[in-house]
Amino acid sequence: MKKLIHTLCILTLLFSCAPKNKYIINGSLSEKGTGDWIYLLHPGDTNNSLVDSAHIINEKFQFKGN
């Protein structure tokens, strides 16, 4: 029983400490107006297949992803 509880504790720690591959990038621009778009290219993507876009509203934008 003690070994089972010990194993469950270790598994809980491992899964709770696993990296969460999520990101949020907030930014602002002084020259772009509302209605424009900004694009984020992921590093290491040579085919440009991983591209995110964000709508600029009041000179601010936000990227969210996994």
Side-chain angles (χ1 to χ4, degrees), residues 44-55:
D45 179 28
T46 57
N47 298 330
N48 291 335
S49 60
L50 296 173
V51 178
D52 287 335
S53 60
H55 202 164

Side-chain angles (χ1 to χ4, degrees), residues 21-36:
N21 294 326
K22 294 185 178 186
Y23 63 89
I24 298 175
I25 300 173
N26 293 310
S28 62
L29 302 169
S30 59
E31 298 178 13
K32 292 274 187 179
T34 298
D36 289 338

Side-chain angles (χ1 to χ4, degrees), residues 7-63:
T7 304
L8 288 176
C9 288
I10 290 174
L11 288 175
T12 302
L13 285 173
L14 286 175
F15 286 113
S16 65
C17 296
K20 316 260 186 301
N21 294 326
K22 294 185 178 186
Y23 63 89
I24 298 175
I25 300 173
N26 293 310
S28 62
L29 302 169
S30 59
E31 298 178 13
K32 292 274 187 179
T34 298
D36 289 338
W37 288 85
I38 189 167
Y39 300 94
L40 173 69
L41 301 175
H42 292 260
D45 179 28
T46 57
N47 298 330
N48 291 335
S49 60
L50 296 173
V51 178
D52 287 335
S53 60
H55 202 164
I56 301 171
I57 300 173
N58 295 328
E59 299 177 349
K60 295 182 181 183
F61 63 90
Q62 183 178 70
F63 290 104

